[in-house]
Amino acid sequence: MTMTESPPTEAAESTEPAGAVPGGLYDVLTTSDHKAIGRIWLRLGLLLLAGVAVLGVLVALEDTSADGIDVFGGANAAWQMNGLYSFSLVLLVVPALTIGLATTVVPMQVGSSNIAFPRAAAAAAWGFMVGAAIMVISVFAGGGWGALDGVSGGEADAIELTLLGMGMVASSVLLASVCLATTVLSLRTPGMGLTKTPLFAWSILVTTSVWILTLPVLIANLIVIVVDLRGGPLLFGAPEGSTMIYDQLAWILEQPAVFVLGIPVLGIIGSIVPVVAGSRHITHAGLMAAIGVAGLLAIGGWSQPAFSDQRDELLFVAFGLLAVMPVLASLALNSLPLAKAGVPPGPPPAQLLGALGAGLLLLLGAAAGALRVIDPLELIGTNADAGVGHLVAFAAVVGLAAGMWFWAPKIGGHQLSNVLGLGVMLDFMGAGLLMGAAHLLIGFDFAGGLNDAMLWVVFFGAILATLGALGVSAAARRNEGEAGDDPWVATRLSGPLPRQFQRATSSVLSPASPQKPRCSTPPKRATATREGSPHDRHRPPASTSAAASAHRPRWDTVRVGCLCDGLLRCLGAVPVASG
């Protein structure tokens, strides 16, 4: 298997037309175009988001009517649906949307014609789809993550199917992570060092690196549980009733592992803010460092309370407290371009509102996680766990929705409605805030009346999440017109430009000089006709005046300008000159 369908040094032409929409089942199944693969991930993620949102409404309604309506027909069924909701939100919805957006955007950001290992990337999408279907269907067939009323023989088989589906999902995300990480590391355009990587591509590299380190641990957990179910002594699926299967896998839902979902949010904020503000970041390296530190603090495979409860040790407490710092630093650095630009008239762009809202939710999630690890508060093992998870997960959902609105011209070729976008962002932000804050307050175990009221707050938050999911689907079906050559109205890069390129591209980025430099053959140097030093042949002719020489562009400057101009057009940061 080759790394890419065509060498990155060739013209940006993949085996299929760029952004071609698969026309039939055969084309969908065999596509190797990164945009088509990305759209498969995104559509699957949006479908899962709608289903999980509806399931969240039912789970919240079940919690609010403990002595009234029995939504699922028993305590065991309700517990299984709650597990399906939690695992689906963290393992299905957010990874699918993240990988879909990254598969579409990252190759263009780094100047590659396609994603690395495109066939493997397509296989990961289909494997994820099959695994998600097995996981969901098996839970409705009596499987899940244990049983409160005992595990029978048939239920043990259904539980194995649930674990098989989870394993396929984790393996598919792992395979897609390898493709994305390799794209950022190996397929960057010449002249783009790793320190000059766009922030979203850098955040995807950090996110996939964390997944590569942690998902094999989850797969190992699943293998141990399946072997135990098959061969006994039924330690994790005890016949008398046990939640040990869920307990062994719940570390993926808790901090620090759950914070990996928020890392792409930092990259999305860093990509949207400078374009909307029309000003570059003060320090690109500082934002990259904040994203990298956030990734280090999101490695969570080492913390598994089912085997050894380390949640009261210094390392776990330090991870929880320090997680606030990179998020706070990233938001502070991103606020500087906005403060410089001021507040524009009219409604804000939906992508900007979503980016800032996602950053706020992520900061609240990190702060709630910091409170959770403080031992005197005794929040570990309470509803505060779900509060942190909801804040981080919905921060990811809001940020990814903002990314879809921002890069919509690259995803589908047309803009998305700004009005619908504002509604979607507000719905998801409200859902994350209500559900996360309510669960956190329940964790403090106030009076019973307040806890009952907070359960209704969770229910209304779930309704907002459902409305947001429907709004995304409606916006995706509504065409707001074809995207122009410069849909972002950007006259400069959102990220830093390598120093050696800044002089060469000053004329390219200037609105007064829209014409790009001619990429022709290098001018021949004048050859000396008189005798003298061998170095004389490199001197310009004597007839060339000093003024003409000063204004005549050197070949290396023109060549670098052409290269950087092509990169900018690939990223969509510079409009294509007409004619």
Side-chain angles (χ1 to χ4, degrees), residues 306-383:
F307 292 106
S308 177
D309 195 350
Q310 301 173 332
R311 293 178 293 185
D312 57 350
E313 296 184 2
L314 179 61
L315 182 61
F316 184 85
V317 175
F319 266 56
L321 295 177
L322 293 176
V324 181
M325 303 307 296
V327 180
L328 188 61
S330 179
L331 292 179
L333 292 175
N334 278 292
S335 65
L336 297 179
L338 289 176
K340 181 180 178 181
V343 180
Q351 57 266 27
L352 179 63
L353 177 64
L356 298 180
L360 178 60
L361 286 178
L362 186 59
L363 181 61
L364 292 176
L371 292 176
R372 178 176 174 267
V373 300
I374 298 176
D375 188 61
L377 297 179
E378 298 181 350
L379 292 176
I380 294 179
T382 66
N383 278 51

Side-chain angles (χ1 to χ4, degrees), residues 180-196:
L180 289 168
T182 306
T183 302
V184 179
L185 290 174
S186 302
L187 299 185
R188 299 189 310 276
T189 191
M192 178 186 286
L194 192 60
T195 58
K196 302 300 181 182

